[in-house]
């Protein structure tokens, strides 16, 4: 499968980590995706994809067009069609807020059809970024749509969330939330309320996800792995808590996860994203 991606130009880069296109035959049809510090938009330009929540009480979904996903606090599974063609957007955790009118809490741990958020947009995007369009052209079409959807004035409170969230991003979740609130001159309760409004979760939960992402991305499966050292470097100081959170987020113990990484190394040409793992 081929990956083409890029960071969008300003001002979109304040809210979006990257826009990318996936095309071709997937090496693995089913991928287990742990929580990562992102919200998402997917525009499916090919056959339908299936999504399954790790919560068995949530029914699976099939998407032929596109779908939005807010920040996820648990893992989910995506099942690709036999041949993939889609454009994806990795928003920063707070990045959806200036593009959609849906409350962030309604997108947390959920997938929502794109047309329910951006009415009558998916067919227009699919028509312009169809089978004959190159990957670069498909990215340009989606980037133009994003520019047209960006609010002229930032929603109230987003600046505070963006500033403090940026500190969580650069520190990989290591800055105490109390210190963030104090530095911003607001109460912890006010900061939490603004994060719930624009991210859908508290800053403490965002910090946990950034910390976990740092841990996962620091794993070098080609070398011996000292999980105690990696966990400590990522800010886990309680081994039992680390083990529980790792199993909750990935569905595997650290040893099982490492064995899977070694069995299924990342494809050449893909970005260094070692979170999603085959579920075949």
């Amino acid at each position: 499968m081929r990956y083409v991606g890029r960071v969008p130009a300003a001002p979109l880069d304040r809210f979006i980590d990257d826009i990318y296109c996936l095309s071709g035959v997937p090496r693995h049809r089913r991928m287990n995706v742990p929580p990562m510090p992102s919200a998402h938009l997917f525009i499916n330009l090919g056959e339908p994809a299936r999504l399954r929540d790790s919560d068995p009480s949530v029914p699976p979904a099939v998407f032929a067009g596109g779908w939005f996903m807010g920040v996820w606090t648990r893992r989910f599974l995506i099942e690709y069609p036999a041949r993939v063609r889609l454009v994806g957007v990795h928003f920063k955790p707070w990045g959806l807020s200036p593009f959609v009118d849906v409350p962030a809490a309604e997108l947390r741990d959920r997938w929502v059809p794109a047309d329910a958020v951006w009415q009558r947009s998916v067919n227009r995007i699919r028509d312009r970024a169809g089978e004959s369009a190159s990957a670069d052209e498909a990215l340009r079409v989606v980037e133009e749509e994003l520019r047209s959807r960006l609010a002229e004035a930032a929603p109230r409170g987003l600046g505070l969330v963006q500033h403090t969230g940026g500190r969580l991003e650069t520190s990989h979740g290591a800055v105490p939330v109390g210190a963030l609130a104090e530095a911003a001159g607001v109460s912890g309760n006010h900061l939490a309320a603004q994060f719930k409004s624009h991210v859908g979760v508290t800053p403490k939960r965002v910090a946990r996800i950034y910390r976990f992402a740092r841990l996962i991305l620091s794993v070098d499966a080609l070398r011996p792995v000292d999980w105690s050292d990696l966990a400590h470097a990522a800010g886990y100081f309680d081994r039992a808590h680390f083990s529980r959170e790792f199993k909750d987020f990935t569905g595997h113990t650290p040893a099982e996860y490492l064995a899977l990484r070694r069995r299924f190394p990342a494809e050449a040409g893909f970005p260094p994203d070692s979170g999603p793992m085959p579920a075949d």
Side-chain angles (χ1 to χ4, degrees):
M1 191 156 61
R2 181 168 177 254
Y3 166 92
V4 177
R6 66 171 182 244
V7 178
L12 295 183
D13 59 342
R14 295 166 54 200
F15 311 104
I16 294 171
D17 285 324
D18 70 322
I19 306 173
Y20 61 94
C21 182
L22 292 179
S23 59
V25 178
R27 188 198 297 184
H28 306 286
R29 292 282 299 275
R30 301 169 73 242
M31 298 294 289
N32 189 38
V33 185
M36 284 289 159
S38 298
H40 305 268
L41 166 64
F42 297 95
I43 301 295
N44 194 0
L45 304 175
E47 295 300 312
R50 295 178 182 269
L51 296 172
R52 298 181 186 274
D53 198 316
S54 58
D55 180 348
S57 69
V58 179
V62 178
F63 287 99
W67 66 98
F68 278 96
M69 301 173 69
V71 171
W72 274 66
T73 63
R74 57 180 182 263
R75 66 187 185 280
F76 66 91
L77 185 142
I78 182 168
E79 183 176 333
Y80 291 123
R83 190 168 189 86
V84 174
R85 181 169 168 77
L86 65 80
V87 178
V89 181
H90 282 127
F91 293 89
K92 295 180 184 296
W94 56 88
L96 271 179
S97 185
F99 296 94
V100 305
D101 292 328
V102 179
E106 292 185 14
L107 294 173
R108 182 190 65 232
D109 293 330
R110 290 185 62 200
W111 42 69
V112 177
D115 273 337
V117 180
W118 287 352
Q119 293 186 7
R120 296 182 296 278
S121 64
V122 173
N123 284 342
R124 182 178 68 253
I125 295 172
R126 285 163 61 92
D127 288 344
R128 296 180 61 202
E131 191 66 33
S132 62
S134 67
D136 285 336
E137 176 66 11
L139 294 181
R140 186 186 65 78
V141 168
V142 173
E143 186 168 344
E144 285 183 0
E145 184 72 25
L146 289 162
R147 288 184 184 280
S148 73
R149 298 278 180 172
L150 180 62
E152 293 185 7
R156 183 178 180 182
L158 180 59
L160 171 65
V161 172
Q162 186 176 356
H163 174 72
T164 54
R167 291 194 62 191
L168 289 175
E169 179 181 18
T170 56
S171 70
H172 308 287
V175 179
V177 173
L180 290 176
E182 183 177 357
V186 298
S187 70
N189 287 340
H190 179 76
L191 184 62
Q194 293 303 315
F195 264 74
K196 288 180 180 178
S197 176
H198 295 289
V199 182
V201 298
T202 65
K204 185 175 181 180
R205 180 60 66 98
V206 173
R208 284 178 60 193
I209 296 173
Y210 270 121
R211 179 176 62 188
F212 174 77
R214 180 185 187 183
L215 173 81
I216 286 295
L217 295 177
S218 67
V219 174
D220 184 350
L222 300 179
R223 301 177 181 274
V225 174
D226 187 321
W227 287 107
S228 294
D229 284 351
L230 288 185
H232 190 271
Y236 291 95
F237 303 111
D238 182 323
R239 183 59 186 264
H241 174 249
F242 159 70
S243 298
R244 286 195 305 272
E245 185 157 284
F246 195 99
K247 184 68 179 286
D248 286 345
F249 281 5
T250 67
H252 301 286
T253 66
E256 291 168 345
Y257 175 83
L258 183 59
L260 198 61
R261 286 277 305 274
R262 288 171 172 167
R263 182 182 174 193
F264 300 116
E267 293 185 59
F270 272 64
D273 181 357
S274 303
M277 292 300 299
D280 298 308

